[in-house]
Coordinates of all heavy atoms in Angstrom, one line a residue:
D162 N 102.6 98.9 105.3 CA 103.3 99.8 106.2 C 102.5 100.7 107.0 O 102.8 102.0 107.3 CB 104.4 100.6 105.4 CG 105.5 101.3 106.3 OD1 105.8 100.8 107.4 OD2 106.0 102.3 105.9
E163 N 101.5 100.1 107.6 CA 100.7 100.6 108.6 C 100.7 99.7 109.9 O 99.6 99.1 110.3 CB 99.3 100.8 108.2 CG 99.2 101.9 107.0 CD 97.7 102.0 106.5 OE1 96.8 101.4 107.3 OE2 97.5 102.6 105.4
P164 N 101.9 99.6 110.6 CA 101.9 98.7 111.6 C 101.0 98.7 112.8 O 100.4 97.5 113.2 CB 103.4 98.8 112.2 CG 103.8 100.2 111.7 CD 103.1 100.5 110.5
R165 N 100.6 99.9 113.2 CA 99.6 99.9 114.3 C 98.2 99.4 114.0 O 97.7 98.4 114.5 CB 99.5 101.4 114.8 CG 98.4 101.5 115.9 CD 98.0 102.9 116.2 NE 99.1 103.6 116.8 CZ 99.3 103.7 118.1 NH1 98.6 103.0 118.9 NH2 100.3 104.3 118.7
S166 N 97.8 99.9 112.7 CA 96.5 99.4 112.3 C 96.5 97.9 112.0 O 95.3 97.2 112.2 CB 96.0 100.2 111.1 OG 96.8 100.0 109.9
L167 N 97.6 97.4 111.6 CA 97.6 95.9 111.3 C 97.7 95.0 112.5 O 97.1 94.1 112.7 CB 98.9 95.6 110.4 CG 98.7 96.1 108.9 CD1 100.1 95.9 108.2 CD2 97.7 95.3 108.3
H168 N 98.7 95.4 113.5 CA 99.1 94.5 114.5 C 98.2 94.8 115.9 O 98.0 93.7 116.6 CB 100.5 94.6 114.9 CG 101.3 94.2 113.6 ND1 101.2 92.9 113.0 CD2 102.3 94.8 113.0 CE1 102.0 92.8 112.0 NE2 102.7 94.0 111.9
E169 N 97.8 96.0 116.1 CA 97.2 96.2 117.4 C 95.9 95.4 117.6 O 95.7 94.7 118.6 CB 96.8 97.7 117.6 CG 96.6 98.1 119.1 CD 96.7 99.7 119.2 OE1 96.2 100.4 118.3 OE2 97.2 100.1 120.3
P170 N 95.0 95.4 116.5 CA 93.7 94.6 116.7 C 94.1 93.1 116.6 O 93.3 92.3 117.3 CB 93.0 95.0 115.4 CG 93.6 96.2 114.9 CD 94.9 96.1 115.2
F171 N 95.1 92.8 116.0 CA 95.4 91.3 115.9 C 95.7 90.7 117.3 O 95.5 89.6 117.6 CB 96.6 90.9 115.0 CG 96.3 91.3 113.6 CD1 97.3 91.3 112.6 CD2 95.0 91.7 113.2 CE1 97.1 91.6 111.3 CE2 94.7 91.9 111.8 CZ 95.8 91.9 110.9
V172 N 96.5 91.5 118.2 CA 96.8 91.0 119.5 C 95.5 90.7 120.3 O 95.5 89.6 120.9 CB 97.6 92.0 120.2 CG1 98.0 91.6 121.6 CG2 99.0 92.3 119.5
R173 N 94.6 91.6 120.2 CA 93.2 91.4 121.0 C 92.6 90.2 120.5 O 92.0 89.5 121.2 CB 92.5 92.7 120.9 CG 91.2 92.7 121.6 CD 90.4 93.9 121.5 NE 89.9 94.1 120.1 CZ 90.4 95.0 119.1 NH1 91.5 95.8 119.5 NH2 89.8 95.2 118.0
R174 N 92.6 90.1 119.1 CA 91.8 88.9 118.5 C 92.5 87.7 118.8 O 91.9 86.6 118.9 CB 91.7 89.2 117.0 CG 90.7 90.2 116.7 CD 90.4 90.4 115.3 NE 89.4 91.2 114.9 CZ 88.0 90.9 114.9 NH1 87.7 89.7 115.1 NH2 87.0 91.8 114.6
N175 N 93.9 87.6 118.8 CA 94.7 86.4 119.2 C 94.1 86.0 120.7 O 94.0 84.7 121.0 CB 96.0 86.6 119.3 CG 96.7 86.6 117.9 OD1 96.0 86.2 117.0 ND2 97.8 87.1 117.7
R176 N 94.0 86.9 121.6 CA 93.5 86.7 122.9 C 92.2 86.0 122.9 O 91.9 85.0 123.6 CB 93.6 87.9 123.8 CG 93.0 87.8 125.1 CD 93.6 86.8 126.0 NE 95.0 87.2 126.5 CZ 95.9 86.4 127.0 NH1 95.4 85.2 127.4 NH2 97.1 86.7 127.4
A177 N 91.3 86.5 122.1 CA 90.0 86.0 122.0 C 89.9 84.6 121.5 O 89.3 83.7 121.9 CB 89.1 86.9 121.1
V178 N 90.8 84.3 120.4 CA 90.9 82.9 119.9 C 91.4 81.9 121.1 O 90.8 80.8 121.2 CB 91.9 82.9 118.8 CG1 92.2 81.4 118.4 CG2 91.3 83.7 117.6
L179 N 92.4 82.3 121.7 CA 93.0 81.5 122.8 C 92.0 81.3 123.9 O 91.8 80.2 124.4 CB 94.2 82.0 123.4 CG 95.0 81.2 124.4 CD1 95.4 79.8 123.9 CD2 96.3 81.9 124.9
T180 N 91.3 82.3 124.3 CA 90.4 82.2 125.4 C 89.2 81.3 125.1 O 88.7 80.5 125.8 CB 89.8 83.6 125.8 OG1 90.8 84.4 126.2 CG2 88.6 83.5 126.8
A181 N 88.7 81.4 123.7 CA 87.7 80.5 123.3 C 88.1 79.2 123.2 O 87.4 78.1 123.6 CB 87.3 81.0 121.9
L182 N 89.4 78.8 122.9 CA 89.9 77.4 122.9 C 89.9 76.8 124.3 O 89.4 75.7 124.5 CB 91.2 77.4 122.3 CG 92.0 76.0 122.3 CD1 91.2 75.0 121.4 CD2 93.4 76.2 121.8
L183 N 90.3 77.6 125.2 CA 90.5 77.1 126.6 C 89.2 77.0 127.3 O 89.0 76.1 128.2 CB 91.5 78.0 127.4 CG 92.9 78.1 126.9 CD1 93.7 79.1 127.7 CD2 93.6 76.7 126.9
E184 N 88.3 77.9 127.0 CA 87.0 78.0 127.8 C 85.9 77.3 127.1 O 84.9 76.8 127.8 CB 86.7 79.4 128.2 CG 87.7 80.1 129.0 CD 87.3 81.5 129.4 OE1 86.3 82.0 128.9 OE2 88.2 82.2 130.1
Q185 N 85.8 77.3 125.8 CA 84.7 76.7 125.1 C 85.0 75.6 124.1 O 84.1 74.8 123.7 CB 84.0 77.9 124.2 CG 83.4 79.0 125.1 CD 83.1 80.2 124.2 OE1 83.8 81.1 124.0 NE2 81.9 80.1 123.8
G186 N 86.3 75.4 123.9 CA 86.8 74.3 123.0 C 87.0 74.6 121.6 O 86.9 75.9 121.1
P187 N 87.5 73.6 120.8 CA 88.1 73.9 119.5 C 87.2 74.5 118.5 O 87.5 75.4 117.6 CB 88.5 72.5 119.0 CG 88.7 71.6 120.3 CD 87.7 72.2 121.3
Q188 N 85.9 74.0 118.5 CA 84.9 74.6 117.5 C 84.7 76.1 117.7 O 84.7 76.9 116.8 CB 83.6 73.9 117.5 CG 82.6 74.3 116.5 CD 83.0 74.0 115.1 OE1 83.4 73.0 114.7 NE2 83.1 75.1 114.3
A189 N 84.6 76.5 118.9 CA 84.4 77.9 119.2 C 85.6 78.6 118.8 O 85.5 79.8 118.4 CB 84.0 78.1 120.7
A190 N 86.7 78.2 119.2 CA 88.0 78.9 118.8 C 88.1 78.9 117.3 O 88.5 80.0 116.8 CB 89.2 78.0 119.3
A191 N 87.8 77.9 116.5 CA 87.8 78.0 115.0 C 86.8 79.0 114.5 O 87.1 79.7 113.5 CB 87.5 76.7 114.4
D192 N 85.6 79.2 115.2 CA 84.6 80.1 114.8 C 85.2 81.6 115.0 O 85.1 82.5 114.2 CB 83.3 80.0 115.4 CG 82.6 78.7 115.1 OD1 83.0 78.2 114.0 OD2 81.7 78.2 115.7
E193 N 85.9 81.7 116.1 CA 86.5 83.0 116.5 C 87.5 83.4 115.5 O 87.8 84.5 115.0 CB 87.1 83.0 117.9 CG 87.6 84.3 118.3 CD 86.5 85.3 118.6 OE1 85.4 85.1 119.0 OE2 86.8 86.5 118.1
L194 N 88.4 82.4 115.2 CA 89.4 82.6 114.2 C 88.9 83.0 112.8 O 89.5 83.9 112.1 CB 90.4 81.4 114.1 CG 91.6 81.4 113.1 CD1 92.5 82.6 113.5 CD2 92.3 80.1 113.1
E195 N 87.9 82.3 112.3 CA 87.2 82.5 111.1 C 86.8 84.0 111.1 O 87.1 84.7 110.0 CB 86.0 81.7 110.9 CG 85.3 81.8 109.5 CD 85.9 80.9 108.5 OE1 86.1 79.8 108.7 OE2 86.0 81.3 107.3
R196 N 86.2 84.6 112.1 CA 85.9 86.1 112.2 C 87.1 86.8 112.1 O 87.0 87.9 111.5 CB 85.1 86.2 113.4 CG 83.6 85.6 113.4 CD 82.8 86.2 114.6 NE 83.2 85.6 115.8 CZ 82.8 84.4 116.4 NH1 81.9 83.7 115.7 NH2 83.1 83.9 117.5
Y197 N 88.1 86.5 112.8 CA 89.4 87.2 112.9 C 90.0 87.4 111.5 O 90.4 88.5 111.1 CB 90.3 86.4 113.8 CG 91.8 86.7 113.8 CD1 92.4 87.1 115.0 CD2 92.5 86.7 112.7 CE1 93.8 87.4 115.1 CE2 94.0 87.1 112.7 CZ 94.6 87.5 113.9 OH 96.0 87.7 113.9
L198 N 90.0 86.2 110.8 CA 90.6 86.2 109.5 C 89.8 87.0 108.5 O 90.3 87.8 107.6 CB 90.8 84.8 108.9 CG 91.9 84.0 109.7 CD1 92.0 82.5 109.2 CD2 93.3 84.6 109.6
T199 N 88.5 87.0 108.7 CA 87.7 87.8 107.8 C 87.9 89.4 108.0 O 88.0 90.1 107.0 CB 86.1 87.5 108.0 OG1 85.9 86.2 107.7 CG2 85.3 88.4 107.2
A200 N 88.0 89.8 109.3 CA 88.2 91.1 109.7 C 89.7 91.5 109.2 O 89.9 92.7 108.7 CB 88.1 91.4 111.1
S201 N 90.6 90.7 109.4 CA 92.0 91.0 108.9 C 92.0 91.1 107.5 O 92.7 92.1 106.9 CB 92.9 89.8 109.4 OG 94.2 90.0 108.9
E202 N 91.4 90.2 106.6 CA 91.4 90.3 105.2 C 90.7 91.6 104.7 O 91.3 92.4 103.9 CB 90.7 89.1 104.6 CG 90.7 89.3 103.1 CD 89.9 88.1 102.4 OE1 89.2 87.4 103.1 OE2 90.2 87.7 101.2
R203 N 89.7 92.0 105.4 CA 88.9 93.3 105.1 C 89.9 94.4 105.3 O 89.9 95.3 104.5 CB 87.7 93.4 105.9 CG 86.8 94.5 105.5 CD 85.5 94.5 106.3 NE 84.8 93.4 106.2 CZ 84.4 92.6 107.3 NH1 84.8 92.9 108.5 NH2 83.6 91.6 107.1
S204 N 90.6 94.5 106.5 CA 91.6 95.6 106.7 C 92.7 95.6 105.8 O 93.0 96.7 105.3 CB 92.1 95.3 108.2 OG 93.1 96.2 108.5
V205 N 93.2 94.5 105.4 CA 94.3 94.5 104.4 C 93.9 95.0 103.0 O 94.5 95.9 102.4 CB 95.0 93.1 104.3 CG1 95.9 93.1 103.2 CG2 95.7 92.8 105.5
L206 N 92.6 94.6 102.6 CA 92.2 94.8 101.3 C 91.8 96.4 101.3 O 92.0 97.1 100.3 CB 90.9 94.1 100.9 CG 91.2 92.7 100.5 CD1 89.9 91.9 100.4 CD2 92.0 92.4 99.4
G207 N 91.3 96.9 102.4 CA 91.1 98.3 102.5 C 92.3 99.2 102.4 O 92.2 100.2 101.7
A208 N 93.3 98.7 103.0 CA 94.6 99.4 102.8 C 95.1 99.4 101.5 O 95.6 100.4 100.9 CB 95.5 98.8 103.8
F209 N 95.0 98.2 100.8 CA 95.4 98.1 99.4 C 94.7 99.1 98.5 O 95.1 99.6 97.5 CB 95.3 96.7 99.0 CG 96.5 95.8 99.0 CD1 97.3 95.9 100.3 CD2 97.0 95.1 98.0 CE1 98.5 95.2 100.4 CE2 98.2 94.3 98.1 CZ 98.9 94.3 99.4
A210 N 93.3 99.1 98.7 CA 92.5 100.0 97.9 C 92.9 101.4 98.1 O 92.9 102.2 97.2 CB 91.0 99.8 98.3
R211 N 93.2 101.9 99.3 CA 93.7 103.2 99.6 C 94.9 103.5 99.0 O 95.2 104.7 98.4 CB 93.9 103.5 101.1 CG 92.4 103.5 101.8 CD 92.7 104.0 103.3 NE 93.6 103.2 104.0 CZ 93.1 102.2 104.7 NH1 91.9 101.8 104.8 NH2 94.0 101.5 105.5
M212 N 95.7 102.5 98.7 CA 97.0 102.6 98.0 C 97.0 102.5 96.5 O 98.0 102.8 95.8 CB 98.1 101.6 98.5 CG 98.4 101.7 100.0 SD 99.0 100.1 100.7 CE 100.5 100.0 99.6
G213 N 95.8 102.3 96.0 CA 95.5 102.1 94.6 C 96.1 100.9 94.0 O 96.4 100.8 92.8
H214 N 96.2 99.8 94.7 CA 96.6 98.6 94.2 C 95.6 97.9 93.5 O 94.4 97.9 93.7 CB 97.0 97.6 95.4 CG 98.5 97.7 95.8 ND1 99.4 97.2 95.1 CD2 99.0 98.3 96.9 CE1 100.7 97.3 95.7 NE2 100.4 98.1 96.8

Side-chain angles (χ1 to χ4, degrees):
D162 195 26
E163 294 177 10
R165 177 190 290 275
S166 65
L167 285 172
H168 298 306
E169 197 167 38
F171 295 170
V172 177
R173 185 178 67 254
R174 287 185 173 273
N175 284 345
R176 171 60 66 187
V178 169
L179 182 59
T180 299
L182 178 63
L183 297 176
E184 296 182 0
Q185 298 171 267
Q188 183 60 54
D192 291 344
E193 184 65 41
L194 180 59
E195 184 90 39
R196 290 189 290 271
Y197 169 124
L198 292 175
T199 297
S201 176
E202 181 180 23
R203 188 181 301 125
S204 171
V205 169
L206 290 175
F209 267 46
R211 288 192 298 275
M212 295 162 60
H214 268 283

